[in-house]
């Protein structure tokens, strides 16, 4: 996993405190083992799975989104801009 992703045990603490886990879309954070600048290593399906794992772990009330459409170099296939 990317060092910015947190383990499930920490996600539980976020839930217990009533806080949010923010999801960002640069592909190195969506696919385990992704590296910055890699091209086409993730897709919309990976994003859905990533979000699903968080929702299943802490619940829908504890998730937010910060897409990074304005400042990352590599987004999942199918999410290259806000219009997709």
């Amino acid at each position: 996993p990317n060092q910015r992703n947190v383990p499930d045990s920490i996600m539980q603490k976020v839930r217990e405190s009533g806080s949010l886990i923010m999801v960002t879309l640069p592909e190195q954070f969506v696919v385990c083992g992704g590296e910055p600048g890699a091209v086409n290593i993730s897709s919309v399906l990976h994003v859905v799975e990533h979000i699903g794992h968080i929702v299943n772990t802490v619940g829908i009330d504890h998730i937010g989104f910060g897409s990074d459409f304005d400042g990352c170099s590599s987004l999942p296939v199918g999410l290259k801009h806000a219009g997709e």
Side-chain angles (χ1 to χ4, degrees), residues 8-51:
D8 292 356
S9 60
I10 299 298
M11 285 198 281
Q12 291 298 335
K13 292 180 186 287
V14 170
R15 180 185 55 79
E16 291 166 9
S17 72
S19 299
L20 291 175
I21 295 168
M22 297 298 293
V23 174
T24 188
L25 299 179
E27 56 189 354
Q28 70 266 22
F29 303 133
V30 174
V31 176
C32 291
E35 295 297 327
V39 178
N40 297 336
I41 62 169
S42 66
S43 68
V44 173
L45 177 60
H46 291 105
V47 173
V48 171
E49 290 172 346
H50 187 66
I51 292 167

Side-chain angles (χ1 to χ4, degrees), residues 11 49-61 63 65:
M11 285 198 281
E49 290 172 346
H50 187 66
I51 292 167
H53 175 74
I54 296 168
V55 170
N56 289 334
T57 302
V58 298
I60 194 82
D61 294 333
I63 190 168
F65 299 94

Side-chain angles (χ1 to χ4, degrees), residues 23-26 65-75 79-83:
V23 174
T24 188
L25 299 179
F65 299 94
S67 64
D68 280 350
F69 281 128
D70 64 340
C72 69
S73 62
S74 186
L75 288 161
L79 290 174
K80 295 300 178 196
H81 56 77

